Every structure is written in structure tokens, then in C-alpha cells.
Amino acid sequence: VTAVIVPSGSPKTTLLHPLAGLDLPDEGDLLVDGVSLTSLDRAGRAELRRRSVAFVGQTVGLVPFLGARENAEIALELRGLPGDGAAEAIAAVGLEEHAERPVSELSAGQRERAALARALASRPLAMIADEPTSRLDAANSLALGSLLAEVARTFGTTVICAPHDPLLVEQADAELSLGSR
């Protein structure tokens, strides 16, 4: 787990989008799984994300009337993958008891975990999370940080996040500080 630390007001999303292949850098190159992102067209970058990268934005973008499990299954379906990874991802984030409840009925912390489960269901090489604790209280921030560390160990997923929350930063294996805090 790597926490990218940027000063408040800095464009974290602008930094994270190229790492996920959602945008291209103005200069230089980015390699993801040994593949140059700048050598790929939009469809090629989408294919790379389908195979290797999951992105969890500040707005989790879940389908509100579906359950957490169904949201993960849809993500797998769109990637052309079997749906059996959804249940394991839901279990990994501790939402088994709430897997069938519409996500609109879940707490902010549970919705964040549902979004992480959706991202993890495809077993990505890398998961990029933009302020994953922004809507959480201290206890849930701490729990989410522990969850990200556990996910990295269990799934072998590289987790890159841009938090403002010091509780999440403390649980990261590495910090990349860009400017002063």
C-alpha cells in the first residue's frame, strides 16, 4: 500500500488518472505491468484497465438499487470475467451480511467497502483509490486502512491511494510525498 501525499488543494485526481490510464501524461511515459501507456490508444488503455487496474474514485458510482454483490458481478460481467469473484471480494471487505441490501441503504463506510469489493472482484494487479476515507469517521478510516493493507497481502494487489487522512497514511507501507503537507 502506497499513500501519495499531496498538499491540500493539489490536484490528486489529476495525478491518479494517468496512473489508471484514464488520462495520459503531458510528457514522459508510464508503464503499467510492463506496458507503456503512451503507446496505447484509448481502447488499448481500456483493455489494460480491464485486465490489470481498478480505480475507485471519490464518487463510488455504485448502482444504488442493486446490492453490493450485484455491483461487483456487473463489474466482472463488463470485464468479460466470471462472476464467482464477487462473493470472495464481498467477504474480503466484510460485507457478507449486507451483500444483498441495496447499496442506497448502506452507510457511507459500507458503500466505500462495496466500491472496493467491486474493484477487487476482478483481482487487479493494481487498485488506485482517490481519497477512499473522505466520507468516513475515524473508526471507519482506521478500519478501511487495515482493509486496504489486508487486501494487498491477500490478493497481491498493489494499492495506491491519495488520502488526506493521517490514519490511513499511518497504515501504508510506503509514502510518496509530493510537496509539503
Side-chain angles (χ1 to χ4, degrees):
V1 177
T2 299
V4 179
I5 312 302
V6 295
S8 186
S10 295
K12 291 175 299 310
T13 303
T14 302
L15 173 69
L16 295 178
H17 275 199
L19 294 176
L22 295 168
D23 290 322
L24 290 174
D26 292 335
E27 351 180 321
D29 197 7
L30 286 168
L31 297 176
V32 174
D33 197 23
V35 177
S36 165
L37 290 180
T38 58
S39 70
L40 300 174
D41 62 9
R42 185 176 177 166
R45 291 191 312 275
E47 175 60 21
L48 181 73
R49 279 191 308 278
R50 186 189 74 74
R51 284 190 334 264
S52 304
V53 178
F55 184 82
V56 180
Q58 290 182 34
T59 305
V60 293
L62 298 166
V63 181
F65 57 85
L66 296 178
R69 182 190 49 78
E70 292 169 307
N71 270 277
E73 287 173 345
I74 286 174
L76 291 171
E77 179 72 27
L78 290 172
R79 289 174 180 238
L81 299 171
D84 53 358
E88 183 181 9
I90 293 296
V93 301
L95 281 179
E96 303 97 328
E97 291 181 29
H98 305 287
E100 306 307 320
R101 284 182 54 203
V103 294
S104 62
E105 296 177 8
L106 300 178
S107 71
Q110 290 169 327
R111 284 192 301 272
E112 193 68 44
R113 287 188 286 150
L116 292 172
R118 181 185 57 194
L120 291 171
S122 65
R123 298 254 179 160
L125 294 174
M127 181 173 65
I128 299 165
D130 190 358
E131 291 194 56
T133 59
S134 64
R135 294 172 300 282
L136 305 181
D137 61 19
N140 280 313
S141 292
L142 191 59
L144 187 70
S146 295
L147 174 63
L148 290 174
E150 182 63 26
V151 158
R153 283 190 297 276
T154 303
F155 286 82
T157 299
T158 297
V159 177
I160 301 169
C161 59
H164 276 306
D165 191 329
L167 292 172
L168 185 55
V169 174
E170 287 174 8
Q171 295 183 65
D173 298 307
E175 286 182 40
L176 174 60
S177 185
L178 305 174
S180 61
R181 279 194 222 181

